[in-house]
């Protein structure tokens, strides 16, 4: 029946009378585009199997599978999520240069496959804590774009009421956004300890960068986590530069997945969302089965500098950045896979791009017009579920009330 209707529509569109009735050639072209999209939709594959790069292993006899099945629905969702994060970060760059966003701001574009692949492999009840490059994880954990951009501009509608900014965003089972290098790692072990204590079969994913990987507190945490067999995945997002220093200049060993020594580890292609997803599933199962912690290194790349104050080209060349964009971009890789395996059409993905841009623009409009929080709210929410109390201001004659 569908084929008959399409055939009739095709004949109608090809007649001069139909073109005259349309009044404009563009109307016919649009109808033709809809017809083609409809035909392609009927022909799309439901799923496809993909080959992936093999993970390097440490203290593991077997690793994640080198093949992965992705459904059409999953692919479209991954694509939209990664495009949303990419466009959100580019908008944040624009707002920062307009001096609407101020202070520290660390962008995540280039690393989208990491947070999207991780979220696709875990449960909403699992826990995530990361460093200050947190916008992507904030979004994948469930915070809307509007609340993220509004937090970046310091307005009331932000996810932290405009008082957290770029580095301090939170939501249920997501603990930030932490500004001290490496300090979130022992906190993540504490969350994993709570998971084990309450016996809910939950895990904690604790992320840090290659620049933080040499911190002493990380190795102390590895030791405690191994002794107590905590259900914690320690994830090093290795984007090749700690601030402006390459990993080769900063670390005697750049095999970050081996840094746990007595803890098993794996090194993963962090530019491939499917590779990240399958590796995270493997690591999550390791933790849930009572085997203790595991270390996972994601080899990735950031397109922006360390922060917005870093142009990102004084310690690496423009040619290097462009080469990564052209050969390893996570969104382009997923797009090519979907189109080449008949999971989606280029036109369909373009429609997603248009919808994402519209969402970002609307969110940015709200983020720049929402009011700033009043001074009276400065000391609110210091503690959770506590009676109100007075907080001294900058001198003894000024005080604020704090409520939970």
């Amino acid at each position: 029946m569908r084929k008959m209707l399409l055939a009739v529509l095709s004949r109608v569109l090809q007649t001069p009378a139909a073109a005259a009735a349309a009044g404009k050639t563009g109307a016919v072209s649009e109808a033709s585009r809809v017809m083609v999209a409809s035909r392609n939709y009927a022909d799309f594959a439901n799923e496809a199997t993909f080959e992936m790069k093999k993970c390097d292993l440490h203290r593991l006899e077997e690793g994640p599978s080198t093949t992965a099945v992705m459904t059409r629905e999953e692919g479209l969702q991954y694509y939209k999520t990664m495009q949303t994060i990419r466009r959100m970060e580019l908008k944040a760059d624009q707002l920062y240069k307009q001096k609407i966003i101020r202070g520290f701001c660390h962008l995540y574009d280039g690393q989208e496959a990491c947070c999207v692949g991780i979220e696709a492999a875990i449960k909403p009840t699992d826990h995530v804590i990361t460093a200050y490059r947190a916008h992507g994880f904030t979004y994948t954990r469930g915070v809307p774009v509007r609340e993220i951009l509004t937090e970046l501009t310091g307005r009331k509608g932000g996810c932290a009421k405009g008082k957290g900014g770029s580095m301090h965003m939170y939501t249920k089972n997501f603990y930030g956004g932490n500004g001290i290098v490496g300090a979130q790692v022992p906190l993540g072990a504490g969350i994993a300890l709570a998971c084990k204590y309450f016996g809910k079969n939950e895990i904690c994913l604790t992320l840090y960068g290659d620049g933080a990987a040499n911190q002493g507190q990380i190795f102390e945490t590895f030791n405690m986590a191994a002794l107590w067999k905590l259900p914690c995945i320690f994830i090093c997002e290795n984007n090749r530069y700690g601030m402006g220093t390459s990993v080769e200049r900063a670390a005697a060993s750049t095999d970050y997945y081996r840094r746990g020594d007595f803890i098993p580890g794996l090194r993963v292609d962090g530019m491939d969302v499917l590779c990240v997803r399958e590796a995270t599933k493997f690591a999550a199962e390791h933790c849930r089965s009572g085997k203790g912690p595991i270390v996972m290194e994601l080899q990735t790349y950031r397109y922006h500098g360390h922060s917005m104050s870093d142009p990102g080209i004084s310690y690496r060349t423009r040619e290097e950045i462009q080469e990564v964009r052209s050969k390893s971009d996570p969104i382009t890789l997923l797009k090519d896979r979907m189109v080449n395996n008949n999971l989606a059409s280029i036109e369909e993905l373009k429609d997603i791009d248009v919808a994402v841009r519209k969402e970002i623009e609307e969110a940015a409009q709200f983020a720049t017009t929402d009011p700033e929080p009043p001074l009276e709210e400065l000391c609110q929410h210091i503690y959770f579920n506590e009676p109100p109390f007075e907080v001294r201001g900058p001198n003894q004659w000024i005080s604020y009330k704090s409520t939970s």
Side-chain angles (χ1 to χ4, degrees), residues 130-133 178-186 206-222 235-243 245 247 250-251 256 259 306:
T130 188
Y132 37 74
R133 201 177 303 280
N178 292 267
I180 306 301
V181 176
Q184 73 278 6
V185 177
T206 302
L207 293 107
Y208 57 98
D210 54 274
N214 298 317
Q215 287 272 322
Q217 59 189 324
I218 291 179
F219 295 93
E220 295 176 44
T221 304
F222 284 171
I235 303 175
C236 177
E237 290 185 284
N238 176 10
N239 59 26
R240 294 166 47 178
Y241 296 94
M243 297 189 73
T245 306
V247 293
Y256 297 104
R259 290 286 190 94
H306 171 72

mmCIF file of all heavy atoms in Angstrom, residues 130-133 178-186 206-222 235-243 245 247 250-251 256 259 306:
data_model
loop_
_atom_site.group_PDB
_atom_site.id
_atom_site.type_symbol
_atom_site.label_atom_id
_atom_site.label_comp_id
_atom_site.label_asym_id
_atom_site.label_seq_id
_atom_site.Cartn_x
_atom_site.Cartn_y
_atom_site.Cartn_z
ATOM 1 N N THR A 130 33.028 14.162 38.243
ATOM 2 C CA THR A 130 34.085 14.515 37.302
ATOM 3 C C THR A 130 34.792 15.792 37.742
ATOM 4 O O THR A 130 34.511 16.329 38.819
ATOM 5 C CB THR A 130 33.508 14.652 35.873
ATOM 6 O OG1 THR A 130 34.589 14.807 34.943
ATOM 7 C CG2 THR A 130 32.563 15.835 35.755
ATOM 8 N N ALA A 131 35.685 16.272 36.888
ATOM 9 C CA ALA A 131 36.453 17.477 37.193
ATOM 10 C C ALA A 131 35.704 18.698 36.674
ATOM 11 O O ALA A 131 34.475 18.700 36.608
ATOM 12 C CB ALA A 131 37.847 17.368 36.572
ATOM 13 N N TYR A 132 36.430 19.721 36.284
ATOM 14 C CA TYR A 132 35.780 20.992 35.941
ATOM 15 C C TYR A 132 35.356 21.088 34.481
ATOM 16 O O TYR A 132 34.671 22.026 34.110
ATOM 17 C CB TYR A 132 36.708 22.165 36.270
ATOM 18 C CG TYR A 132 38.167 21.900 36.008
ATOM 19 C CD1 TYR A 132 38.668 21.875 34.720
ATOM 20 C CD2 TYR A 132 39.034 21.636 37.061
ATOM 21 C CE1 TYR A 132 39.987 21.609 34.472
ATOM 22 C CE2 TYR A 132 40.378 21.365 36.829
ATOM 23 C CZ TYR A 132 40.850 21.353 35.530
ATOM 24 O OH TYR A 132 42.173 21.076 35.288
ATOM 25 N N ARG A 133 35.734 20.124 33.628
ATOM 26 C CA ARG A 133 35.261 20.120 32.239
ATOM 27 C C ARG A 133 33.965 19.299 32.230
ATOM 28 O O ARG A 133 33.912 18.169 31.731
ATOM 29 C CB ARG A 133 36.323 19.509 31.320
ATOM 30 C CG ARG A 133 36.161 19.897 29.855
ATOM 31 C CD ARG A 133 37.290 19.311 29.007
ATOM 32 N NE ARG A 133 38.590 19.712 29.483
ATOM 33 C CZ ARG A 133 39.186 20.874 29.242
ATOM 34 N NH1 ARG A 133 38.564 21.779 28.495
ATOM 35 N NH2 ARG A 133 40.380 21.152 29.731
ATOM 36 N N ASN A 178 34.109 19.703 39.795
ATOM 37 C CA ASN A 178 34.957 20.012 40.949
ATOM 38 C C ASN A 178 36.173 20.803 40.481
ATOM 39 O O ASN A 178 36.833 20.429 39.516
ATOM 40 C CB ASN A 178 35.401 18.730 41.646
ATOM 41 C CG ASN A 178 34.252 17.995 42.317
ATOM 42 O OD1 ASN A 178 33.976 18.175 43.488
ATOM 43 N ND2 ASN A 178 33.541 17.173 41.543
ATOM 44 N N GLY A 179 36.462 21.900 41.197
ATOM 45 C CA GLY A 179 37.481 22.834 40.741
ATOM 46 C C GLY A 179 38.904 22.506 41.136
ATOM 47 O O GLY A 179 39.844 23.033 40.546
ATOM 48 N N ILE A 180 39.106 21.633 42.122
ATOM 49 C CA ILE A 180 40.459 21.314 42.579
ATOM 50 C C ILE A 180 40.965 20.092 41.811
ATOM 51 O O ILE A 180 40.313 19.050 41.781
ATOM 52 C CB ILE A 180 40.485 21.019 44.096
ATOM 53 C CG1 ILE A 180 39.855 22.185 44.868
ATOM 54 C CG2 ILE A 180 41.902 20.752 44.557
ATOM 55 C CD1 ILE A 180 40.545 23.518 44.664
ATOM 56 N N VAL A 181 42.132 20.227 41.198
ATOM 57 C CA VAL A 181 42.662 19.173 40.334
ATOM 58 C C VAL A 181 42.811 17.854 41.093
ATOM 59 O O VAL A 181 43.542 17.768 42.070
ATOM 60 C CB VAL A 181 44.014 19.584 39.733
ATOM 61 C CG1 VAL A 181 44.612 18.447 38.906
ATOM 62 C CG2 VAL A 181 43.855 20.837 38.875
ATOM 63 N N GLY A 182 42.088 16.845 40.634
ATOM 64 C CA GLY A 182 42.198 15.500 41.205
ATOM 65 C C GLY A 182 41.391 15.268 42.462
ATOM 66 O O GLY A 182 41.251 14.121 42.901
ATOM 67 N N ALA A 183 40.841 16.321 43.071
ATOM 68 C CA ALA A 183 40.172 16.166 44.371
ATOM 69 C C ALA A 183 38.893 15.358 44.290
ATOM 70 O O ALA A 183 38.429 14.812 45.295
ATOM 71 C CB ALA A 183 39.887 17.548 44.976
ATOM 72 N N GLN A 184 38.293 15.259 43.098
ATOM 73 C CA GLN A 184 37.058 14.492 42.955
ATOM 74 C C GLN A 184 37.299 12.989 43.020
ATOM 75 O O GLN A 184 36.358 12.213 43.234
ATOM 76 C CB GLN A 184 36.358 14.846 41.646
ATOM 77 C CG GLN A 184 37.008 14.298 40.384
ATOM 78 C CD GLN A 184 38.163 15.153 39.906
ATOM 79 O OE1 GLN A 184 38.568 16.110 40.560
ATOM 80 N NE2 GLN A 184 38.716 14.808 38.757
ATOM 81 N N VAL A 185 38.544 12.538 42.865
ATOM 82 C CA VAL A 185 38.829 11.097 42.838
ATOM 83 C C VAL A 185 38.591 10.442 44.199
ATOM 84 O O VAL A 185 37.865 9.445 44.286
ATOM 85 C CB VAL A 185 40.245 10.827 42.301
ATOM 86 C CG1 VAL A 185 40.555 9.331 42.335
ATOM 87 C CG2 VAL A 185 40.365 11.354 40.866
ATOM 88 N N PRO A 186 39.162 10.959 45.305
ATOM 89 C CA PRO A 186 38.798 10.367 46.595
ATOM 90 C C PRO A 186 37.320 10.531 46.943
ATOM 91 O O PRO A 186 36.737 9.663 47.609
ATOM 92 C CB PRO A 186 39.697 11.104 47.603
ATOM 93 C CG PRO A 186 40.240 12.289 46.895
ATOM 94 C CD PRO A 186 40.250 11.941 45.445
ATOM 95 N N THR A 206 34.265 7.641 38.374
ATOM 96 C CA THR A 206 35.069 8.764 38.845
ATOM 97 C C THR A 206 36.032 9.189 37.747
ATOM 98 O O THR A 206 36.928 8.436 37.371
ATOM 99 C CB THR A 206 35.852 8.358 40.107
ATOM 100 O OG1 THR A 206 34.928 7.928 41.115
ATOM 101 C CG2 THR A 206 36.682 9.504 40.627
ATOM 102 N N LEU A 207 35.829 10.391 37.215
ATOM 103 C CA LEU A 207 36.615 10.849 36.069
ATOM 104 C C LEU A 207 37.643 11.894 36.461
ATOM 105 O O LEU A 207 37.418 12.707 37.365
ATOM 106 C CB LEU A 207 35.689 11.419 35.000
ATOM 107 C CG LEU A 207 34.775 10.378 34.348
ATOM 108 C CD1 LEU A 207 33.338 10.555 34.822
ATOM 109 C CD2 LEU A 207 34.850 10.445 32.831
ATOM 110 N N TYR A 208 38.765 11.846 35.767
ATOM 111 C CA TYR A 208 39.828 12.836 35.947
ATOM 112 C C TYR A 208 40.611 12.911 34.642
ATOM 113 O O TYR A 208 40.468 12.054 33.763
ATOM 114 C CB TYR A 208 40.751 12.449 37.111
ATOM 115 C CG TYR A 208 41.379 11.077 36.970
ATOM 116 C CD1 TYR A 208 42.668 10.930 36.481
ATOM 117 C CD2 TYR A 208 40.678 9.924 37.321
ATOM 118 C CE1 TYR A 208 43.243 9.676 36.325
ATOM 119 C CE2 TYR A 208 41.238 8.670 37.181
ATOM 120 C CZ TYR A 208 42.518 8.553 36.682
ATOM 121 O OH TYR A 208 43.086 7.306 36.534
ATOM 122 N N GLY A 209 41.436 13.927 34.496
ATOM 123 C CA GLY A 209 42.191 14.099 33.258
ATOM 124 C C GLY A 209 43.617 13.617 33.376
ATOM 125 O O GLY A 209 44.104 13.291 34.469
ATOM 126 N N ASP A 210 44.298 13.589 32.241
ATOM 127 C CA ASP A 210 45.698 13.169 32.254
ATOM 128 C C ASP A 210 46.556 14.119 33.086
ATOM 129 O O ASP A 210 47.553 13.709 33.688
ATOM 130 C CB ASP A 210 46.233 13.087 30.820
ATOM 131 C CG ASP A 210 46.022 14.388 30.051
ATOM 132 O OD1 ASP A 210 44.933 14.558 29.482
ATOM 133 O OD2 ASP A 210 46.927 15.232 30.024
ATOM 134 N N GLY A 211 46.149 15.394 33.155
ATOM 135 C CA GLY A 211 46.906 16.349 33.966
ATOM 136 C C GLY A 211 46.809 16.064 35.445
ATOM 137 O O GLY A 211 47.744 16.345 36.206
ATOM 138 N N ALA A 212 45.693 15.483 35.874
ATOM 139 C CA ALA A 212 45.509 15.145 37.292
ATOM 140 C C ALA A 212 46.057 13.769 37.641
ATOM 141 O O ALA A 212 46.153 13.417 38.818
ATOM 142 C CB ALA A 212 44.021 15.200 37.649
ATOM 143 N N ALA A 213 46.426 12.992 36.622
ATOM 144 C CA ALA A 213 46.786 11.591 36.848
ATOM 145 C C ALA A 213 48.040 11.413 37.693
ATOM 146 O O ALA A 213 48.271 10.327 38.235
ATOM 147 C CB ALA A 213 46.971 10.887 35.503
ATOM 148 N N ASN A 214 48.847 12.465 37.830
ATOM 149 C CA ASN A 214 50.065 12.364 38.646
ATOM 150 C C ASN A 214 49.855 12.813 40.091
ATOM 151 O O ASN A 214 50.805 12.847 40.877
ATOM 152 C CB ASN A 214 51.188 13.200 38.006
ATOM 153 C CG ASN A 214 51.545 12.697 36.623
ATOM 154 O OD1 ASN A 214 51.645 11.500 36.384
ATOM 155 N ND2 ASN A 214 51.717 13.623 35.682
ATOM 156 N N GLN A 215 48.632 13.153 40.441
ATOM 157 C CA GLN A 215 48.331 13.584 41.801
ATOM 158 C C GLN A 215 48.480 12.433 42.795
ATOM 159 O O GLN A 215 47.985 11.322 42.549
ATOM 160 C CB GLN A 215 46.895 14.100 41.867
ATOM 161 C CG GLN A 215 46.671 15.445 41.219
ATOM 162 C CD GLN A 215 46.933 16.592 42.191
ATOM 163 O OE1 GLN A 215 46.616 16.507 43.361
ATOM 164 N NE2 GLN A 215 47.529 17.653 41.682
ATOM 165 N N GLY A 216 49.117 12.706 43.923
ATOM 166 C CA GLY A 216 49.311 11.666 44.928
ATOM 167 C C GLY A 216 48.018 11.123 45.498
ATOM 168 O O GLY A 216 47.907 9.924 45.791
ATOM 169 N N GLN A 217 47.010 11.983 45.644
ATOM 170 C CA GLN A 217 45.745 11.545 46.226
ATOM 171 C C GLN A 217 45.054 10.486 45.360
ATOM 172 O O GLN A 217 44.275 9.671 45.867
ATOM 173 C CB GLN A 217 44.816 12.739 46.421
ATOM 174 C CG GLN A 217 44.488 13.512 45.163
ATOM 175 C CD GLN A 217 43.753 14.807 45.446
ATOM 176 O OE1 GLN A 217 42.933 14.871 46.350
ATOM 177 N NE2 GLN A 217 44.055 15.853 44.692
ATOM 178 N N ILE A 218 45.349 10.476 44.066
ATOM 179 C CA ILE A 218 44.760 9.456 43.205
ATOM 180 C C ILE A 218 45.315 8.082 43.544
ATOM 181 O O ILE A 218 44.579 7.093 43.645
ATOM 182 C CB ILE A 218 44.995 9.805 41.721
ATOM 183 C CG1 ILE A 218 44.164 11.048 41.353
ATOM 184 C CG2 ILE A 218 44.637 8.636 40.807
ATOM 185 C CD1 ILE A 218 44.314 11.506 39.923
ATOM 186 N N PHE A 219 46.615 7.994 43.779
ATOM 187 C CA PHE A 219 47.221 6.702 44.104
ATOM 188 C C PHE A 219 46.812 6.233 45.497
ATOM 189 O O PHE A 219 46.638 5.034 45.736
ATOM 190 C CB PHE A 219 48.740 6.803 43.985
ATOM 191 C CG PHE A 219 49.190 7.063 42.574
ATOM 192 C CD1 PHE A 219 49.409 8.356 42.123
ATOM 193 C CD2 PHE A 219 49.359 6.017 41.675
ATOM 194 C CE1 PHE A 219 49.796 8.604 40.828
ATOM 195 C CE2 PHE A 219 49.756 6.246 40.376
ATOM 196 C CZ PHE A 219 49.973 7.554 39.940
ATOM 197 N N GLU A 220 46.646 7.154 46.416
ATOM 198 C CA GLU A 220 46.116 6.796 47.737
ATOM 199 C C GLU A 220 44.709 6.215 47.599
ATOM 200 O O GLU A 220 44.356 5.233 48.263
ATOM 201 C CB GLU A 220 46.079 8.035 48.640
ATOM 202 C CG GLU A 220 47.451 8.604 48.976
ATOM 203 C CD GLU A 220 47.322 9.886 49.797
ATOM 204 O OE1 GLU A 220 46.495 9.919 50.729
ATOM 205 O OE2 GLU A 220 48.040 10.851 49.498
ATOM 206 N N THR A 221 43.914 6.832 46.721
ATOM 207 C CA THR A 221 42.550 6.359 46.510
ATOM 208 C C THR A 221 42.539 4.983 45.850
ATOM 209 O O THR A 221 41.740 4.111 46.224
ATOM 210 C CB THR A 221 41.775 7.365 45.630
ATOM 211 O OG1 THR A 221 41.822 8.663 46.244
ATOM 212 C CG2 THR A 221 40.337 6.938 45.456
ATOM 213 N N PHE A 222 43.440 4.771 44.873
ATOM 214 C CA PHE A 222 43.550 3.451 44.254
ATOM 215 C C PHE A 222 43.789 2.376 45.321
ATOM 216 O O PHE A 222 43.174 1.306 45.295
ATOM 217 C CB PHE A 222 44.715 3.437 43.260
ATOM 218 C CG PHE A 222 44.441 4.120 41.951
ATOM 219 C CD1 PHE A 222 45.471 4.342 41.050
ATOM 220 C CD2 PHE A 222 43.164 4.534 41.597
ATOM 221 C CE1 PHE A 222 45.241 4.968 39.829
ATOM 222 C CE2 PHE A 222 42.922 5.166 40.384
ATOM 223 C CZ PHE A 222 43.971 5.378 39.502
ATOM 224 N N ILE A 235 38.182 6.659 35.650
ATOM 225 C CA ILE A 235 38.268 6.942 34.224
ATOM 226 C C ILE A 235 39.167 8.144 33.979
ATOM 227 O O ILE A 235 38.857 9.262 34.405
ATOM 228 C CB ILE A 235 36.873 7.203 33.618
ATOM 229 C CG1 ILE A 235 35.946 6.007 33.880
ATOM 230 C CG2 ILE A 235 36.979 7.481 32.120
ATOM 231 C CD1 ILE A 235 34.517 6.226 33.419
ATOM 232 N N CYS A 236 40.265 7.913 33.284
ATOM 233 C CA CYS A 236 41.169 8.997 32.903
ATOM 234 C C CYS A 236 40.833 9.439 31.492
ATOM 235 O O CYS A 236 41.023 8.691 30.530
ATOM 236 C CB CYS A 236 42.623 8.530 32.977
ATOM 237 S SG CYS A 236 43.817 9.777 32.430
ATOM 238 N N GLU A 237 40.303 10.652 31.350
ATOM 239 C CA GLU A 237 40.059 11.224 30.026
ATOM 240 C C GLU A 237 41.368 11.856 29.540
ATOM 241 O O GLU A 237 41.690 12.993 29.867
ATOM 242 C CB GLU A 237 38.952 12.274 30.086
ATOM 243 C CG GLU A 237 37.569 11.706 30.328
ATOM 244 C CD GLU A 237 36.495 12.772 30.254
ATOM 245 O OE1 GLU A 237 36.372 13.554 31.208
ATOM 246 O OE2 GLU A 237 35.776 12.822 29.239
ATOM 247 N N ASN A 238 42.103 11.090 28.775
ATOM 248 C CA ASN A 238 43.405 11.531 28.290
ATOM 249 C C ASN A 238 43.233 12.291 26.983
ATOM 250 O O ASN A 238 43.144 11.706 25.911
ATOM 251 C CB ASN A 238 44.316 10.305 28.088
ATOM 252 C CG ASN A 238 45.667 10.679 27.496
ATOM 253 O OD1 ASN A 238 46.018 11.856 27.388
ATOM 254 N ND2 ASN A 238 46.429 9.676 27.087
ATOM 255 N N ASN A 239 43.180 13.638 27.088
ATOM 256 C CA ASN A 239 43.047 14.456 25.880
ATOM 257 C C ASN A 239 44.389 14.994 25.398
ATOM 258 O O ASN A 239 44.453 15.943 24.634
ATOM 259 C CB ASN A 239 42.024 15.584 26.080
ATOM 260 C CG ASN A 239 42.389 16.520 27.216
ATOM 261 O OD1 ASN A 239 43.557 16.670 27.572
ATOM 262 N ND2 ASN A 239 41.390 17.167 27.788
ATOM 263 N N ARG A 240 45.462 14.384 25.915
ATOM 264 C CA ARG A 240 46.841 14.577 25.429
ATOM 265 C C ARG A 240 47.546 15.817 25.961
ATOM 266 O O ARG A 240 48.766 15.945 25.819
ATOM 267 C CB ARG A 240 46.892 14.575 23.898
ATOM 268 C CG ARG A 240 46.530 13.212 23.334
ATOM 269 C CD ARG A 240 46.238 13.181 21.854
ATOM 270 N NE ARG A 240 47.186 13.881 21.010
ATOM 271 C CZ ARG A 240 47.085 13.908 19.678
ATOM 272 N NH1 ARG A 240 46.080 13.266 19.086
ATOM 273 N NH2 ARG A 240 47.958 14.561 18.953
ATOM 274 N N TYR A 241 46.804 16.701 26.629
ATOM 275 C CA TYR A 241 47.438 17.904 27.170
ATOM 276 C C TYR A 241 46.860 18.228 28.543
ATOM 277 O O TYR A 241 45.637 18.345 28.699
ATOM 278 C CB TYR A 241 47.227 19.106 26.243
ATOM 279 C CG TYR A 241 47.883 18.937 24.899
ATOM 280 C CD1 TYR A 241 47.162 18.432 23.821
ATOM 281 C CD2 TYR A 241 49.225 19.254 24.711
ATOM 282 C CE1 TYR A 241 47.751 18.257 22.580
ATOM 283 C CE2 TYR A 241 49.825 19.084 23.472
ATOM 284 C CZ TYR A 241 49.093 18.582 22.408
ATOM 285 O OH TYR A 241 49.686 18.392 21.195
ATOM 286 N N GLY A 242 47.740 18.373 29.550
ATOM 287 C CA GLY A 242 47.335 18.878 30.850
ATOM 288 C C GLY A 242 47.611 20.372 30.855
ATOM 289 O O GLY A 242 48.774 20.788 30.901
ATOM 290 N N MET A 243 46.575 21.167 30.767
ATOM 291 C CA MET A 243 46.708 22.601 30.478
ATOM 292 C C MET A 243 47.498 22.750 29.179
ATOM 293 O O MET A 243 47.043 22.324 28.139
ATOM 294 C CB MET A 243 47.333 23.347 31.660
ATOM 295 C CG MET A 243 46.457 23.291 32.912
ATOM 296 S SD MET A 243 46.984 24.347 34.262
ATOM 297 C CE MET A 243 46.556 25.965 33.645
ATOM 298 N N THR A 245 50.668 21.442 28.679
ATOM 299 C CA THR A 245 51.800 20.514 28.691
ATOM 300 C C THR A 245 51.378 19.164 28.124
ATOM 301 O O THR A 245 50.419 18.556 28.608
ATOM 302 C CB THR A 245 52.333 20.323 30.124
ATOM 303 O OG1 THR A 245 52.635 21.602 30.691
ATOM 304 C CG2 THR A 245 53.588 19.461 30.123
ATOM 305 N N VAL A 247 51.333 15.167 27.336
ATOM 306 C CA VAL A 247 51.483 14.048 28.276
ATOM 307 C C VAL A 247 52.907 13.523 28.272
ATOM 308 O O VAL A 247 53.422 13.084 29.316
ATOM 309 C CB VAL A 247 50.489 12.909 27.943
ATOM 310 C CG1 VAL A 247 49.057 13.361 28.189
ATOM 311 C CG2 VAL A 247 50.646 12.417 26.506
ATOM 312 N N ALA A 250 54.924 15.531 30.664
ATOM 313 C CA ALA A 250 54.447 15.588 32.047
ATOM 314 C C ALA A 250 54.533 14.256 32.777
ATOM 315 O O ALA A 250 54.566 14.238 34.008
ATOM 316 C CB ALA A 250 52.995 16.082 32.077
ATOM 317 N N ALA A 251 54.559 13.136 32.046
ATOM 318 C CA ALA A 251 54.458 11.829 32.692
ATOM 319 C C ALA A 251 55.557 10.894 32.207
ATOM 320 O O ALA A 251 55.781 10.763 31.000
ATOM 321 C CB ALA A 251 53.093 11.210 32.416
ATOM 322 N N TYR A 256 48.209 5.336 31.168
ATOM 323 C CA TYR A 256 47.407 5.673 32.343
ATOM 324 C C TYR A 256 46.520 4.512 32.802
ATOM 325 O O TYR A 256 46.176 4.430 33.982
ATOM 326 C CB TYR A 256 46.551 6.913 32.054
ATOM 327 C CG TYR A 256 47.382 8.146 31.784
ATOM 328 C CD1 TYR A 256 47.555 8.626 30.486
ATOM 329 C CD2 TYR A 256 48.031 8.806 32.820
ATOM 330 C CE1 TYR A 256 48.330 9.745 30.237
ATOM 331 C CE2 TYR A 256 48.810 9.924 32.578
ATOM 332 C CZ TYR A 256 48.958 10.391 31.282
ATOM 333 O OH TYR A 256 49.743 11.501 31.044
ATOM 334 N N ARG A 259 48.220 2.584 35.532
ATOM 335 C CA ARG A 259 48.631 3.332 36.719
ATOM 336 C C ARG A 259 48.091 2.724 38.012
ATOM 337 O O ARG A 259 48.620 2.987 39.085
ATOM 338 C CB ARG A 259 48.181 4.785 36.605
ATOM 339 C CG ARG A 259 48.927 5.604 35.557
ATOM 340 C CD ARG A 259 50.331 5.934 36.024
ATOM 341 N NE ARG A 259 50.963 6.911 35.150
ATOM 342 C CZ ARG A 259 50.958 8.226 35.347
ATOM 343 N NH1 ARG A 259 50.288 8.727 36.370
ATOM 344 N NH2 ARG A 259 51.582 9.026 34.512
ATOM 345 N N HIS A 306 42.752 24.632 27.017
ATOM 346 C CA HIS A 306 42.426 24.108 28.342
ATOM 347 C C HIS A 306 41.201 24.809 28.908
ATOM 348 O O HIS A 306 40.269 24.174 29.404
ATOM 349 C CB HIS A 306 43.612 24.289 29.283
ATOM 350 C CG HIS A 306 43.293 23.985 30.707
ATOM 351 N ND1 HIS A 306 43.090 22.705 31.172
ATOM 352 C CD2 HIS A 306 43.112 24.799 31.781
ATOM 353 C CE1 HIS A 306 42.805 22.739 32.467
ATOM 354 N NE2 HIS A 306 42.814 23.996 32.852
#
